[in-house]
């Protein structure tokens, strides 16, 4: 996979030069399995649709760079765009708590 800066330097579109297959970018998450197995103790929120389409995960979404490094750390800009979405989903989960 190409680095975003390298793609830009080579005058290639980073959004397509640096995207990753969904299967490689989103490996199975043990927390999801735990939430499925013990829903009373573990809950999860799936944000994968905000990172990938059905087959690919682009490095740039809506003009915002998604990751700031290869360790999967989100950029401040992209994390901020997810804030309202995450808040709604957390509120929905919490509404079912007793």
């Amino acid at each position: 996979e190409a680095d975003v800066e390298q793609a830009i330097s080579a005058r290639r579109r980073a959004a397509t030069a640096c995207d990753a297959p969904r299967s490689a970018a989103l490996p199975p998450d043990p927390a999801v399995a735990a939430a499925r197995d013990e829903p009373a103790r573990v809950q999860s929120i799936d944000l994968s649709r905000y990172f990938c389409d059905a087959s690919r995960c682009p490095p740039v979404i809506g003009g915002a760079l998604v990751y700031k490094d290869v360790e999967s750390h989100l950029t401040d800009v992209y994390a901020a765009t997810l804030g309202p979405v995450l808040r709604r989903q957390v509120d929905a989960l919490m509404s079912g708590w007793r």
Side-chain angles (χ1 to χ4, degrees):
E1 293 173 26
D3 175 275
V4 171
E5 289 180 13
Q6 289 173 344
I8 292 170
S9 294
R11 300 189 185 274
R12 296 173 54 211
R13 292 191 66 229
T16 53
C18 303
D19 68 349
R22 183 182 177 106
S23 59
L26 295 175
D29 185 343
V32 173
R36 204 174 27 248
D37 294 341
E38 295 191 52
R41 297 186 64 208
V42 179
Q43 294 179 311
S44 66
I45 295 174
D46 182 4
L47 296 176
S48 61
R49 70 183 180 148
Y50 299 101
F51 293 90
C52 306
D53 63 22
S55 60
R56 306 296 294 178
C57 302
V60 177
I61 298 175
L65 183 63
V66 178
Y67 299 104
K68 60 182 168 184
D69 58 30
V70 295
E71 300 299 320
S72 300
H73 293 109
L74 297 178
T75 62
D76 293 342
V77 169
Y78 196 69
T81 68
L82 292 177
V85 172
L86 184 57
R87 177 61 188 249
R88 283 191 301 274
Q89 292 191 25
V90 168
D91 286 346
L93 278 179
M94 289 175 59
S95 71
W97 294 357
R98 294 180 193 183

